[in-house]
Amino acid sequence: MDYLEIEGGSPLCGEVRIQGSKNAVLPILSAALQGTGITVIDNCPDISDVSAMLEILKGYGCSTRREGKRLIIDAGDLHSGRAPEDYAGVMRSSIMLLGSLLGRLGEAFLPYPGGCVIGKRPIDLHLQALREMGAELTEEPEGLRAVCAHPAGARIRLPFPSVGATENVVLLAVRAEGDTILQNAAREPEITELCRFLSCMGAKIEGAGTGTIRIRGVKELHGTEYRIQPDRIVAGTYMLLAAAAGGKVALRDAPLEQLAAVRKVLSQMGVRQESSGNHLLLWCPGRCRGGIQIRTSPYPGFPTDLQSQLMAALCLAEGDSVIDERIFEERFKSAEELVRMGARIHIQGSRAFIHGVGKLHGERLEARELRGGAALCIAAAAAEGKSRIHQYHYIARGYENIIRDLKALGVMVQCR
Ligand code: UD1
C-alpha cells in the first residue's frame, strides 16, 4: 500500500454504511481486561488501531480472536507482563490500559504512549486522578510503573474534561473499594458507551454522559456481549466530503443524535439534509457558503476530530471562515498541504483564517496524521485533477476501508 490516487472534481452520488466507532472500541477493549469470563464485541471496526490494541492485550496474556465483525476476548489468564513496545509506544490509547490493569491486577508497566503528532498530549491528568485513588506511579526511563494494591474510591475533580482521563478513572473506580465521584468528567458519547459496556459486565455507574459520574466499586466483573455503536467521526467526515465535493450522499447507520454540532454547521454552509432514523441524505445544490466561525470544544461542541475535514470543505466554500482549535495544539498539519492545492489559509496561533477559493487542484500530498489525512482525501475528491496521498497508513488507523467508502460515494480512487 503505497499511496492513494484520487481523480477529483466529479460530484458525488452514493451510499455508505458507517463502521463501528474507533474511540468507543479502544477503551472498551481495555475494559474487557477486567472480565473474568469471555467477552464478545460485535461491530468492531477493522482498523489498524484495533489490531495494535489486540497485540498489546496479547502482551498481557489475553487471548483474542476475530470472526468477521466480532471479537472474542478471553482475559482469564491476564498477567502483569509488558505491552510490546512496537505497539504501545506508538499508540496513544495504550494509556487507557492503566486503570484496567490496576483494577484487575494491582500493578502495571506501560511504555510511554504515542499516537498522532497533534501536539504535546500529556498524561498528567490521568496520573493525578489515579494517584488520588491510591496508585503509586513511577516514571522510569522506558515507561510508567504503576502499583495500586488497594484502589480506593475518591472524590475527584478534573481540571479539564479529558476524555482519556475520565475513561481511566472509570476503569479503576469500577474495581475500587467504595464510591468514586468524578466531577468535570468528559461527556463524549464514547464515555457513555464505555460505562454502558462496564454496566453489562456488572459495574455500578450513574451519570455517564453528564459532568458528574458516580461509580460504586464491585469485587468482580464478568464477560459480556456488546455491540459497538457507529463512528460519529467517520460519519462526519463523509458529511463534510459531501459539502466539499457536492452531489448527493446517503449515510446508513449514522449516529445522528451525536452529530448535532456538525449538522448545524453544514446547514449554515447550505448543505441540505433529510434524516429518517439513523439514515441521512445530504445534498449540495451548488457551491457551499463559508462565513463560518467555529471553535472546537468538548462534546457537545464541534469535535476537534472533524476540524481538519471542515477546513478542507471551507477552503472551497464562498466567503471567509475562521476555525479556532481549542483542544489540541499543532492540529493544522494538513493546512500546508491544502495550500499547495491552491487553498488560502493563514494560521495565527490556535486560529486558522480561511478564504474560500472556487477550486483546488490535484497535488502530491502527504498525510501526517489520521484526521488530517482524511481531510486530504476530501480536498482531493473535490479538487480538479489527480492527487496522490502518501502515508496512507495514518488514515487506516481510524477508517476501516476509506477506498471502499469513497468508491461507494462515487469518488474515483485507487490504491497504488
Ligand atoms: C480522545 C480521542 C481523540 C479526541 C480527543 C478529544 C480516543 C482514543 N481519542 O483523545 O480522538 O481528539 O479525545 O475529543 O478516544 N490533556 C492534558 N493532560 C492529560 C490529558 C489531556 O493536558 O492528562 C489535554 C490534551 O493535551 C488535549 C486535551 O487535554 O489538549 C484533550 O485531551 P483528551 O480529552 O484527554 O483527549 P484523548 O483522550 O487523548
Side-chain angles (χ1 to χ4, degrees):
M1 162 184 9
D2 263 347
Y3 58 84
L4 285 186
E5 189 172 271
I6 295 181
E7 178 77 49
S10 319
L12 308 176
C13 182
E15 176 176 296
V16 284
R17 181 195 155 268
I18 303 302
Q19 67 183 61
S21 163
K22 161 185 169 290
N23 287 355
V25 77
L26 293 173
I28 282 177
L29 286 175
S30 167
L33 291 183
Q34 307 230 27
T36 43
I38 307 273
T39 293
V40 180
I41 297 172
D42 202 0
N43 199 30
C44 179
D46 190 3
I47 52 178
S48 63
D49 264 15
V50 165
S51 311
M53 189 62 131
L54 294 180
E55 290 304 320
I56 295 171
L57 296 194
K58 282 183 202 161
Y60 292 106
C62 239
S63 81
T64 68
R65 196 171 81 243
R66 199 184 244 284
E67 287 175 0
K69 293 268 168 224
R70 283 157 65 90
L71 269 185
I72 296 121
I73 297 168
D74 184 351
D77 293 328
L78 195 73
H79 57 70
S80 57
R82 244 181 131 109
E85 264 169 55
D86 286 359
Y87 295 99
V90 296
M91 199 187 168
R92 167 88 184 166
S93 312
S94 55
I95 185 66
M96 212 58 57
L97 295 169
L98 202 53
S100 263
L101 289 170
L102 286 178
R104 175 91 191 269
L105 302 170
E107 59 176 349
F109 180 85
L110 270 185
Y112 291 118
C116 274
V117 211
I118 54 173
K120 285 202 269 339
R121 305 192 81 170
I123 52 170
D124 54 319
L125 304 180
H126 299 242
L127 305 188
Q128 178 54 34
L130 296 179
R131 280 191 176 110
E132 288 178 45
M133 299 176 76
E136 283 172 33
L137 306 161
T138 322
E139 295 183 37
E140 295 184 359
E142 287 175 20
L144 189 68
R145 185 164 302 286
V147 180
C148 191
H150 303 289
R155 183 180 276 271
I156 299 169
R157 184 175 181 85
L158 293 176
F160 175 85
S162 152
V163 174
T166 300
E167 289 167 345
N168 250 333
V169 169
V170 170
L171 286 166
L172 182 56
V174 289
R175 294 294 299 275
E177 177 92 38
D179 292 358
T180 297
I181 298 171
L182 179 63
Q183 289 174 315
N184 203 23
R187 293 185 285 157
E188 267 67 5
E190 294 75 23
I191 304 286
T192 312
E193 208 173 338
L194 171 65
C195 293
R196 207 181 295 138
F197 174 77
L198 284 163
S199 300
C200 293
M201 296 177 87
K204 306 268 175 254
I205 307 175
E206 280 174 15
T210 74
T212 304
I213 306 180
R214 292 163 197 273
I215 307 123
R216 171 152 296 178
V218 296
K219 289 248 164 339
E220 196 173 282
L221 295 171
H222 50 76
T224 189
E225 276 209 42
Y226 189 82
R227 187 178 167 82
I228 301 292
Q229 296 298 302
D231 194 309
R232 64 190 171 106
I233 304 301
V234 171
T237 300
Y238 298 145
M239 288 157 75
L240 289 158
L241 169 70
K248 214 170 196 178
V249 158
L251 304 181
R252 269 193 300 134
D253 291 347
L256 297 185
E257 71 291 352
Q258 302 171 9
L259 285 158
V262 184
R263 293 190 68 186
K264 190 170 160 206
V265 172
L266 286 170
S267 294
Q268 288 166 357
M269 292 173 73
V271 178
R272 312 281 267 276
Q273 308 171 46
E274 216 174 82
S275 62
S276 152
N278 274 356
H279 194 89
L280 180 67
L281 188 67
L282 298 105
W283 69 102
C284 285
R287 189 177 166 199
C288 275
R289 287 193 296 271
I292 302 295
Q293 305 235 347
I294 197 103
R295 160 188 289 209
T296 60
S297 48
Y299 190 81
F302 193 91
T304 175
D305 284 354
L306 286 171
Q307 178 264 108
S308 309
Q309 301 89 317
L310 174 64
M311 180 187 281
L314 290 175
C315 284
L316 286 148
E318 195 157 4
D320 294 343
S321 301
V322 185
I323 296 179
D324 193 358
E325 171 56 65
R326 302 305 289 245
I327 307 293
F328 290 108
E329 40 181 40
E330 293 180 40
R331 212 177 192 180
F332 289 136
K333 286 203 187 301
S334 51
E336 247 173 66
E337 303 296 276
L338 295 172
V339 167
R340 291 199 302 106
M341 298 175 84
R344 285 179 58 189
I345 306 167
H346 172 65
I347 310 277
Q348 209 173 31
S350 69
R351 287 193 292 177
F353 298 86
I354 303 147
H355 174 75
V357 290
K359 52 185 165 189
L360 297 178
H361 56 80
E363 262 295 343
R364 182 194 183 282
L365 303 165
E366 199 162 311
R368 307 215 187 135
E369 42 97 4
L370 163 59
R371 304 303 173 189
L376 296 183
C377 291
I378 291 179
E384 285 182 1
K386 208 174 266 179
S387 292
R388 288 177 174 180
I389 304 175
H390 292 259
Q391 306 277 29
Y392 160 61
H393 62 92
Y394 280 117
I395 303 171
R397 284 190 48 206
Y399 296 80
E400 194 167 69
N401 192 338
I402 203 164
I403 301 176
R404 173 199 65 200
D405 289 354
L406 291 177
K407 274 189 180 156
L409 294 175
V411 177
M412 279 161 55
V413 54
Q414 18 187 340
C415 188
R416 296 275 190 190

